[in-house]
Amino acid sequence: MKETQQIKSMFDKIVLRYDFLNRLLSFGQDILWRKKMATEAVKDEAQIVLDLAVGTGDSAKALFKKGVKVIGVDISFEMLKIAKGKIQKNFNTLSASAYELPFKDKTFDAVTCAFGIRNMHETEIALKEINRVIRDNGKIIILEFSLPKGFLRKPYLLYLKKIVPFVASFFSSRSAYEYLGSSIEGFYKPEEFSELLQSCGFKNIKIHSLSFGTVYLYVGEKI
Ligand SMILES: C[S@@+](CC[C@H](N)C(=O)[O-])C[C@H]1O[C@@H](n2cnc3c(N)ncnc32)[C@H](O)[C@@H]1O
């Protein structure tokens, strides 16, 4: 798929300053968001978790700290190289696409995906593929950006569309951080995404709004 190839080269290109900009642009909040995701993932005593779109491994690291075995999958080799260097044990990485996961049905107790699903344009295919590799009653936990409601929406859009690309341009690719803003704007609203999760085979969906609705944590169970 052409779009997937473009996304892969974009992430390959921004890898060096990726972690630094995450910390800077989220004012350090990104660490707490991933920690919450990891806490949800291990609530039901999960032993083996697939961290899809693992990137540079910060999401996997949060899971690793909870004592689970983590498999990290990503399409970007450059991101995976950094991830491998961060976690020494109980962690394996694999380069693969969310649309075709190289695992048998019902392999994992849980699948996590932090800030990855927005980049998967065939969202339904990705969610059904995630569903396939989760064991019965296993969990899906997704962390994704959104736009706050009410009076914060306008200033946040200004931050996202003007300030973020401007700041990022000093350290990394401006266009990648312009894409960040437009992809957040184009992504499903939380209620819509929750419906999509249900239609892709998940039940008991819980939605947690974090940091004034700029980030959402979605938790569901495989039917
Ligand atoms: C914003 S990063 C998130 C990385 C990490 N989870 C974190 O919390 O920082 C998104 C990642 O999704 C990966 N990605 C995008 N499309 C993908 C796909 N179709 N299959 C697997 N990974 C994909 C990118 O290569 C990138 O590393």
Side-chain angles (χ1 to χ4, degrees), residues 103-121:
F103 305 107
K104 288 187 190 148
D105 296 359
K106 306 181 183 180
T107 303
F108 299 98
D109 295 320
V111 174
T112 53
C113 185
F115 310 111
I117 197 79
R118 179 178 31 87
N119 301 297
M120 297 165 193
H121 296 99

Side-chain angles (χ1 to χ4, degrees), residues 82-133:
I82 306 272
K84 272 185 208 158
K86 281 187 190 167
I87 308 164
Q88 269 70 44
K89 54 177 186 160
N90 271 342
F91 181 53
N92 289 305
T93 57
L94 208 76
S95 169
S97 167
Y99 305 132
E100 216 174 347
L101 294 170
F103 305 107
K104 288 187 190 148
D105 296 359
K106 306 181 183 180
T107 303
F108 299 98
D109 295 320
V111 174
T112 53
C113 185
F115 310 111
I117 197 79
R118 179 178 31 87
N119 301 297
M120 297 165 193
H121 296 99
E122 302 288 345
T123 322
E124 212 175 311
I125 298 180
L127 289 176
K128 286 185 175 161
E129 188 60 353
I130 291 173
N131 186 283
R132 181 184 69 75
V133 299

Side-chain angles (χ1 to χ4, degrees), residues 4 7-8 11-12 14 18-19 22-23 30 34 37 51-60 73-77 79-80 96-99 101 113-121 126 143-145 180:
T4 309
I7 297 278
K8 176 188 177 301
F11 280 104
D12 277 344
I14 63 167
Y18 177 79
D19 288 349
N22 273 351
R23 248 24 40 92
D30 64 316
R34 291 192 194 85
M37 180 185 81
D51 189 33
L52 182 58
V54 64
T56 57
D58 281 351
S59 41
V73 164
D74 204 288
I75 43 167
S76 160
F77 293 111
M79 298 290 261
L80 284 175
S97 167
Y99 305 132
L101 294 170
C113 185
F115 310 111
I117 197 79
R118 179 178 31 87
N119 301 297
M120 297 165 193
H121 296 99
L143 201 53
E144 194 48 85
F145 290 115
L180 172 71

